Amino acid sequence: MQPHFDAVVARNPGEEEFHQAVYEVMHSLNPIAGKRPEYAQWSILKRVCEPERQIIFRVPWVTDAGEVEINRGFRVEFNSALGPYKGGLRFHPSVNLSIIKFLGFEQIFKNSLTGMPIGGGKGGSDFDPKGRSDAEIMRFCQSFMTELYRHIGAETDVPAGDIGVGGRELGYLFGQYKRITNRYESGVLTGKGLSWGGSQVRTEATGYGTVFFTQEMLKTRGESFDGKRVVVSGSGNVALYAIEKVQQLGGTVVACSDSDGYLIDDNGLDLAQLKDLKEVRRERLSAYVSDTAQHSTDGSIWQVPCDVALPCATQNELNEDDAKALIENGVQAVAEGANMPCTPGAVRLLLDASVLFGPGKASNAGGVATSALEMQQNASRDSWSFEDTEARLQQIMVDIHERCVSTADEFGLPGNYVAGANLAGYIKVADAMVALGVI
């Protein structure tokens, strides 16, 4: 695989995050080398690493003070072999082409693992919504959609939310799409509000799904969340609902974090207060009030002893030193709630220590899976109950776990969820690409 990887690096210079994502997948594909000659014949690996379309555009908008700002917008439509491009929009100052390509590349195989008919894509902007008024965010979203609308559609490309893009932003984006196209095309975006075409459980889906997947991993060793100490990084949407589901399953979440530090409470965090801080008041964790909790800016959240670790913040947040600390403290399972939050070195250490490790393309696929369920409801003009949608989500995560386990076993790598996820996701996409010809 090394010559293929070297070619990707040479073709995409300076895109370190994208290189990392490609390397992680390629490293797992050695077991099929020579076993599927049609993949080489049709240059599947080379083609899957090249996006079908990369769109970069200017996003001008006006601040409340009347100043004109310029941001850069992206949409990478990576692979549509299985269905319309599907993947979120991220608004964050760190966004660049490399990050969007890494996220889009991961999305191909994550979406494949869900078993749903959706391809992979990703988009966003280097716009920072933090500290901006609702009116400024509305004007930015309207400008962003004024270009993006011509590239998306329910049967073409279906964006959703991600970091910095929640219900408020999606509302402004959908409103502008409807205004420009003169169509109420509900299926063009997912993550919508319940009153205008959204799905139950979509808000909770990524966090819940991560916990459902982790629960399945624990079951393979006769364990469960009951009585487990759990550390969850982040305090955004994914983290909050991972905490909620862990608590429902009997676990105790003793720590979470934000960009200013991390919060520890050995008695368990107060979820209601966390939701009030982050979803209502939009304050920092340092404002959390408890006699038993302490806020720290020293060291790493991963130094807090735990049985289960769920990195749910951002890419490359958990490094080799963090992995060593977790292993020394007896961690049993680590599952990625964020996209690629563990560095390659950290993943190697966790696997070598026989820690159950769920890679993001499998463990955090609940969000996009529920987006696909939202697309189904939009297409049939239907709306399912919370209980029905959650049950479908849980079954999807159980099925993803089974695909990872059975594929890893098939290729002689029992218990290796990284290899199982990459191989299962890749094979389904590759078979479709062979069937569709050179396009």
Side-chain angles (χ1 to χ4, degrees), residues 53-311:
R53 191 175 294 109
Q54 302 180 63
I55 303 154
I56 304 176
F57 53 96
R58 182 178 66 193
V59 188
W61 59 283
V62 181
T63 69
D64 289 342
E67 298 173 349
V68 176
E69 297 282 349
I70 301 294
N71 286 98
R72 184 170 289 176
F74 302 89
R75 188 67 182 174
V76 174
E77 297 175 332
F78 224 115
N79 190 287
S80 59
L82 299 180
Y85 309 105
K86 187 81 192 75
L89 298 171
R90 175 176 294 192
F91 291 171
H92 192 271
S94 66
V95 166
N96 56 35
L97 184 59
S98 176
I99 286 177
I100 297 299
K101 285 170 70 174
F102 124 62
L103 292 168
F105 186 75
E106 286 276 294
Q107 200 77 47
I108 300 169
F109 309 109
K110 179 188 301 185
N111 294 359
S112 170
L113 283 170
T114 69
M116 313 293 275
I118 44 178
K122 203 74 177 184
S125 173
D126 56 4
F127 170 73
D128 187 359
K130 190 178 295 184
R132 294 294 182 182
S133 70
D134 284 353
E136 287 175 323
I137 290 171
M138 180 181 71
R139 288 193 291 271
F140 174 81
C141 289
Q142 289 174 341
S143 181
F144 185 86
M145 183 55 77
T146 299
E147 172 59 31
L148 185 66
Y149 90 94
R150 70 190 77 239
H151 306 291
I152 63 176
E155 304 299 330
T156 305
D157 184 353
V158 183
D162 193 83
I163 294 172
V165 180
R168 173 182 57 178
E169 290 77 14
L170 287 166
Y172 295 147
L173 290 165
F174 182 70
Q176 184 72 352
Y177 181 88
K178 185 172 80 73
R179 179 188 191 187
I180 293 171
T181 63
N182 194 34
R183 294 198 306 272
Y184 203 105
E185 190 180 338
S186 297
V188 72
L189 291 173
T190 59
K192 300 182 294 297
L194 291 175
S195 63
W196 45 283
S199 173
Q200 297 278 2
V201 193
R202 181 60 189 90
T203 302
E204 298 87 351
T206 306
Y208 276 23
T210 300
V211 176
F212 287 144
F213 188 89
T214 309
Q215 180 177 237
E216 294 304 306
M217 292 200 300
L218 289 170
K219 283 181 183 177
T220 65
R221 296 187 180 176
E223 299 281 353
S224 71
F225 270 105
D226 192 32
K228 294 287 190 294
R229 280 175 59 94
V230 182
V231 168
V232 179
S233 68
S235 51
N237 182 66
V238 179
L240 289 175
Y241 289 99
I243 292 171
E244 181 169 279
K245 184 53 66 176
V246 167
Q247 291 181 347
Q248 290 175 7
L249 294 175
T252 301
V253 179
V254 296
C256 69
S257 63
D258 61 18
S259 56
D260 288 347
Y262 57 98
L263 191 65
I264 309 169
D265 190 339
D266 287 330
N267 293 332
L269 297 172
D270 181 345
L271 179 61
Q273 187 177 169
L274 287 174
K275 284 186 174 182
D276 181 60
L277 274 177
K278 292 298 181 179
E279 295 183 333
V280 180
R281 293 154 54 190
R282 298 182 187 272
E283 294 185 12
R284 314 309 294 165
L285 288 177
S286 55
Y288 184 93
V289 178
S290 170
D291 293 336
T292 58
Q294 62 184 61
H295 185 266
S296 177
T297 57
D298 298 327
S300 164
I301 190 174
W302 306 118
Q303 294 170 342
V304 178
C306 62
D307 303 306
V308 177
L310 304 177

Side-chain angles (χ1 to χ4, degrees), residues 257-391:
S257 63
D258 61 18
S259 56
D260 288 347
Y262 57 98
L263 191 65
I264 309 169
D265 190 339
D266 287 330
N267 293 332
L269 297 172
D270 181 345
L271 179 61
Q273 187 177 169
L274 287 174
K275 284 186 174 182
D276 181 60
L277 274 177
K278 292 298 181 179
E279 295 183 333
V280 180
R281 293 154 54 190
R282 298 182 187 272
E283 294 185 12
R284 314 309 294 165
L285 288 177
S286 55
Y288 184 93
V289 178
S290 170
D291 293 336
T292 58
Q294 62 184 61
H295 185 266
S296 177
T297 57
D298 298 327
S300 164
I301 190 174
W302 306 118
Q303 294 170 342
V304 178
C306 62
D307 303 306
V308 177
L310 304 177
C312 296
T314 191
Q315 67 263 16
N316 293 327
E317 59 168 295
L318 197 160
N319 60 30
E320 291 183 47
D321 290 337
D322 298 325
K324 289 175 184 177
L326 286 169
I327 292 165
E328 288 171 3
N329 285 322
V331 73
Q332 297 175 32
V334 177
E336 296 184 320
N339 291 306
M340 206 168 70
C342 299
T343 65
V347 174
R348 283 193 297 271
L349 287 172
L350 293 167
L351 293 177
D352 290 345
S354 297
V355 173
L356 292 166
F357 178 74
K361 62 173 62 68
S363 56
N364 75 28
V368 73
T370 307
S371 279
L373 297 179
E374 183 176 332
M375 292 165 67
Q376 286 186 21
Q377 292 169 80
N378 292 156
S380 61
R381 296 291 192 268
D382 198 1
S383 181
W384 305 333
S385 70
F386 189 99
E387 293 74 18
D388 185 22
T389 311
E390 184 181 3

